[in-house]
Each structure stands twice: as structure tokens, then as C-alpha cells.
Amino acid sequence: MIQKLRLCLTMAVILYKQVVYLDTDVGQPEFTAPGFISLTLLDKSILDSDLSIPCVKTPERCFFFGDVSSKRDPKTYLRYIFTLYDYYQLHFSQSNESKTGLPLVVNTPGWVKGIGYDMLVDVLGYVSPTHVVKINISAEPKNLPAGLFWLDRNHEETVNLIEIQSAYRDSLSRSVLIQKDTRLMRDVRIVAYFRQCIRDKEVSTVKELAHELASHTPYEVPISIMKIEHLHFQIPSSEVLYSLNATIVGLGVSSDVFEDLPSCVGLGMVRGIDMEKGVLYIISPIAGHILQKVDILLQGLIQIPTCLLEVREYRSPYISTNVLATS
């Protein structure tokens, strides 16, 4: 499915030169690490990517939801999506006369039952797509309702609904769901994201990457200038710093706000904490001049893959030369 989506996006880029991509699938996103809802501008560079490996791109704007499922906080999940769609309307849509209109492709998650269905209806109602592609399988209870299910009878919108059958079939030619190791796929995307930290060396295996990250000089971040937010749980104030150690955090910028929501510029890996100096040691592929603006750490439920933690004989990650100072 991922390869098919990338192929469709590639064809769209060939046709329109540029395409805006709104990814609402926090579990299996296409161009970011898991946990993000993102708006990405795609151009011809996507044509050069290998369809079989993760393609990491920097979004135009994104929010760190901090979980691989929207069920923990549907209200916030929908707010992020609606805000990114509003951002698209303001900066890229044809409705903005000062901008060149670009088409929008929206990727939705596979959770289409219960609350997942209700959220999908809300998203489709807000975005009002002109074309909808719906993939069906032979197990009818797992499919969405037929027709324009998200519209009530009072709507007279013209929508091109394309319904196709799954390409995977069993011995009786019935379409089937392919079981995937979703955790492994998420880990692969996280590894691909932090692989960007190592730009000056050839790294061909996960083991080599783990060693390089373990010995990589981290940024030194003063705790005093950071606001720490826990997205889906509460931590006693006395345990906040302990909870951050060896975790992945979203890097927020309170000065860059759209519709009262601060932006997120990417992810960081907390490799250590020095309580005496009052600093955090963070590894991130984000450029230093951008990290200088970061003043919010967003802790969710995205974990460092075990393969990146199982490293022996590495240089201490507490050595640091790069410092994020107050402006």
C-alpha cells in the first residue's frame, strides 16, 4: 500500500509539478516519523526516491501528536488536521488569489470503524474533497459504506468517488488484508529520521548507525529555557526530568504560531541529563539555527527503537560542544 501511495504521488507530481500532501496517518506516515500530522510540499525530488525505502522530507508545517493512534485524543487529532488544512487554504489553495493554486492529496489512516469512522467523516466533511479513492476487500464488514457516506442528503456536492478492490487475493481470488509488522515499520521510519544526523559518514547497517548516534556530539540544552509538555499522560513534577531521559521528544517553537498552535520543527532524542549543570543532551538532525528557536519539548509515546539502544563501547553522549543558548 505504501509503495502504491508513493507511486500515485509521483504521478501527481509529474502531472502538476508540485503537490501538497496532508498526512493524517500518525501510525504509518509517508514522509515523517510516526506520531506526526504533517503538511508537505512535494516536487520533482520525490521522483528520485526509492519506492522500497522510507523517504524523509521536511514538512511545510506539522504537529507532533505523540502517539501512533488517534484514539487517545480525537479532539486534538482533528484540531491538528483542520488547522493544517486551513494553512493549506491560506498558503497554497486556489482560493487564495495571491498564490498559485496547488492540488491537495490527503492520506487517511486505516482505522475506519467506531470513533475512527466518525473522525474520518469529520475530516472528509471539513476538507470537502473533489475526488475520493476507496479501497475495498472481500470482507464486507471491514469496508466503508458504499457511496458518498460522509455526506447527508441535503448536500449536492459533486464528488468523483473511485472504488477499487484490493490487489492482494487468496487462492479463491478473494481480496485479503496483508498482515504487517507495524512496530517494525515504525521503527524503520524512526531509524531513517535519525539517520539524517550522520551526514558525513557512510552508514550501511542499523548497528553502525547505533554506534554513530551513541558517539554523536549532542546539543546542550539549558533546562531553564524549556517548557516541557506531556501529551497523553501526567508526570509528577519531581519526576519530569527522569521521564525525559532516553526518550524521543517533539521540538516546539512557541514564537511560530498558526491559529494558536505552536509549530513543531522535528524530533530530538534525549541522550542524557546533567542535573548539576541544568542541561539536557539532545541528538537531532535539525539544523542548529532552527534549534535555537526551540523552547518547548513535547513528550509523547513514541519510543526509541531498541536497535538504537543496544550499543556497546561507545563514547559518552554527555560530551557536548553545541549549545542552545537563550537569545
Side-chain angles (χ1 to χ4, degrees):
M1 183 66 69
I2 293 176
Q3 292 181 350
K4 290 180 180 179
L5 174 60
R6 186 91 62 83
L7 183 59
C8 290
L9 289 173
T10 299
M11 295 174 65
V13 170
I14 293 175
L15 182 61
Y16 295 102
K17 308 303 181 184
Q18 286 186 315
V19 174
V20 183
Y21 181 72
L22 174 56
D23 201 335
T24 70
D25 190 344
V26 291
Q28 301 291 335
E30 181 64 21
F31 299 108
T32 67
F36 277 102
I37 299 171
S38 61
L39 190 72
T40 305
L41 180 62
L42 304 179
D43 54 23
K44 64 180 181 180
S45 64
I46 189 178
L47 305 180
D48 300 325
S49 62
D50 187 336
L51 297 180
S52 64
I53 61 176
C55 177
V56 180
K57 295 185 68 68
T58 301
E60 292 294 311
R61 197 167 192 90
C62 64
F63 297 116
F64 185 55
F65 183 72
D67 198 2
V68 297
S69 172
S70 57
K71 64 182 179 182
R72 292 182 185 273
D73 194 349
K75 183 177 180 181
T76 297
Y77 172 78
L78 288 175
R79 186 188 180 196
Y80 286 166
I81 294 174
F82 297 164
T83 301
L84 288 179
Y85 179 73
D86 292 345
Y87 188 88
Y88 160 77
Q89 289 284 79
L90 180 63
H91 293 280
F92 300 105
S93 173
Q94 292 179 348
S95 62
N96 187 338
E97 296 180 357
S98 63
K99 301 289 183 180
T100 301
L102 296 178
L104 176 69
V105 176
V106 181
N107 179 41
T108 58
W111 182 27
V112 295
K113 298 299 177 182
I115 298 177
Y117 173 82
D118 295 335
M119 288 189 292
L120 177 61
V121 169
D122 288 341
V123 170
L124 291 172
Y126 197 88
V127 173
S128 297
T130 59
H131 296 71
V132 174
V133 178
K134 184 157 71 78
I135 301 176
N136 299 319
I137 64 171
S138 59
E140 289 297 332
K142 296 183 180 295
N143 291 329
L144 286 164
L148 308 181
F149 59 88
W150 66 96
L151 298 178
D152 58 40
R153 295 180 179 179
N154 296 325
H155 283 78
E156 297 181 356
E157 299 180 26
T158 301
V159 181
N160 185 4
L161 178 62
I162 304 170
E163 298 195 45
I164 60 177
Q165 298 298 318
S166 170
Y168 298 103
R169 297 181 174 276
D170 61 16
S171 58
L172 298 178
S173 193
R174 296 174 301 187
S175 55
V176 296
L177 287 174
I178 301 300
Q179 298 299 320
K180 301 176 293 184
D181 189 337
T182 54
R183 170 171 287 188
L184 176 60
M185 294 176 68
R186 288 193 288 267
D187 283 355
V188 168
R189 292 197 173 278
I190 294 173
V191 167
Y193 181 84
F194 284 101
R195 168 67 180 80
Q196 298 175 104
C197 294
I198 315 300
R199 303 181 187 275
D200 57 346
K201 294 183 180 180
E202 289 293 330
V203 177
S204 57
T205 68
V206 174
K207 183 178 180 180
E208 291 177 353
L209 176 61
H211 278 273
E212 290 296 333
L213 288 177
S215 60
H216 187 69
T217 302
Y219 289 96
E220 185 177 292
V221 184
I223 297 172
S224 60
I225 69 172
M226 290 294 158
K227 178 182 179 182
I228 300 171
E229 295 186 7
H230 299 94
L231 301 179
H232 302 293
F233 52 89
Q234 294 182 341
I235 297 291
S237 57
S238 60
E239 304 294 326
V240 168
L241 294 181
Y242 292 105
S243 72
L244 285 175
N245 196 31
T247 64
I248 289 177
V249 293
L251 306 174
V253 180
S254 63
S255 61
D256 183 12
V257 178
F258 181 75
E259 295 189 2
D260 296 326
L261 289 175
S263 68
C264 181
V265 297
L267 293 180
M269 186 186 300
V270 181
R271 290 305 309 267
I273 303 173
D274 190 324
M275 298 295 293
E276 293 185 0
K277 294 179 62 176
V279 297
L280 302 171
Y281 296 97
I282 295 180
I283 293 174
S284 176
I286 304 302
H289 71 279
I290 297 177
L291 286 176
Q292 290 284 351
K293 303 175 184 178
V294 172
D295 57 359
I296 306 173
L297 297 183
L298 305 166
Q299 185 178 12
L301 301 172
I302 306 299
Q303 299 180 346
I304 300 176
T306 304
C307 61
L308 295 182
L309 295 175
E310 297 175 341
V311 184
R312 298 179 181 179
E313 300 177 358
Y314 59 83
R315 182 156 49 93
S316 172
Y318 292 88
I319 298 174
S320 176
T321 57
N322 296 325
V323 180
L324 296 184
T326 54
S327 57

